[in-house]
Amino acid sequence: IISEFGTWGLPSIDKIKQYYNGAPEWFENKGDDTHKEDYKSPLNAEINFKKFNLDKIFKDFDELSSISRKRMLRSNKSLTQEMRNNPKISGYVVTEFTDVEWETNGFLDYFRNPKFSDNQVNHFNNELCIITNIENHNFWEEETVSWDITIVNNGSKEICGKLFWNITELELKGEINVNLSKYYTRLDNVIT
């Protein structure tokens, strides 16, 4: 079991300040010496944003935090799929379900609102998961390409049916017969 994993997705400092009518006390890290570095203090986040010229890349800190949450979603998806794709791993636990002050690994923000829209976490963290694995992402014309599709069923119901796939730009399509027993089973297929 992977007992802890996750990626940071920065919060909106403005929303936190609005909620508290200013910076909350925890914005100033008062912990031991391991938390005294400048970059670990939320009080300095906006100062460091300008100090490191991030204001030349992003409109404001909220844009940076929004982009960091998108990266967080992609990273957690990739990590989760890798764990689910490995039959030696029986389970995993995300670092925290909700953000806690300046530790922002949660799927919910500090105010217990989802960080991601449209149940995007369910796309890779649901009891039924379809994972595509491809070694190369660039190919020459006429080159043969293959990739693995793994279907994982962690649910309490058997899954029987067909998985239809297509790559519109290449006018390729196909189907895979699926027969998965309940709880942890996996079906591996190679598409060429």
Side-chain angles (χ1 to χ4, degrees), residues 37-97:
E37 290 95 341
D38 176 60
Y39 70 93
K40 292 185 180 178
S41 172
L43 279 177
N44 298 327
E46 293 172 309
I47 295 166
N48 287 335
F49 180 78
K50 291 180 181 170
K51 176 180 170 183
F52 295 112
N53 295 318
L54 293 171
D55 59 337
K56 296 185 181 359
I57 301 169
F58 304 100
K59 179 178 72 175
D60 54 24
F61 190 88
D62 274 350
E63 183 182 36
L64 169 64
S65 67
S66 175
I67 290 170
S68 80
R69 287 190 300 273
K70 289 177 183 175
R71 185 198 58 80
M72 176 190 182
L73 178 68
R74 285 192 311 271
S75 176
N76 278 317
K77 177 181 179 182
S78 177
L79 289 167
T80 302
Q81 287 182 333
E82 283 298 317
M83 290 184 287
R84 294 188 80 177
N85 205 21
N86 186 332
K88 294 179 181 178
I89 297 174
S90 299
Y92 51 88
V93 179
V94 70
T95 299
E96 56 202 15
F97 188 59

Side-chain angles (χ1 to χ4, degrees), residues 82-141:
E82 283 298 317
M83 290 184 287
R84 294 188 80 177
N85 205 21
N86 186 332
K88 294 179 181 178
I89 297 174
S90 299
Y92 51 88
V93 179
V94 70
T95 299
E96 56 202 15
F97 188 59
T98 66
D99 289 354
V100 179
E101 296 179 354
W102 198 234
E103 188 169 340
T104 59
N105 297 57
F107 288 170
L108 302 179
D109 68 14
Y110 181 76
F111 304 104
R112 309 312 186 246
N113 298 312
K115 285 186 180 177
F116 316 114
S117 60
D118 303 324
N119 293 319
Q120 290 173 307
V121 173
N122 288 345
H123 296 174
F124 57 88
N125 197 45
N126 218 341
E127 61 186 31
L128 181 64
C129 185
I130 300 170
I131 303 166
T132 57
N133 303 299
I134 191 165
E135 283 190 34
N136 296 319
H137 294 270
N138 299 302
F139 307 97
W140 293 103
E141 185 177 352

Side-chain angles (χ1 to χ4, degrees), residues 81 84-87 128-133 147-153 163 176 180 184-191:
Q81 287 182 333
R84 294 188 80 177
N85 205 21
N86 186 332
L128 181 64
C129 185
I130 300 170
I131 303 166
T132 57
N133 303 299
W147 63 94
D148 298 321
I149 293 183
T150 302
I151 306 170
V152 180
N153 179 23
L163 170 67
I176 299 169
L180 299 170
Y184 185 81
T185 59
R186 45 185 286 132
L187 176 67
D188 294 310
N189 284 272
V190 175
I191 297 174

Side-chain angles (χ1 to χ4, degrees), residues 157-171:
K157 297 178 183 170
E158 292 182 6
I159 307 287
C160 296
K162 292 186 182 289
L163 170 67
F164 296 94
W165 61 269
N166 71 43
I167 302 173
T168 309
E169 294 84 9
L170 301 176
E171 298 181 13

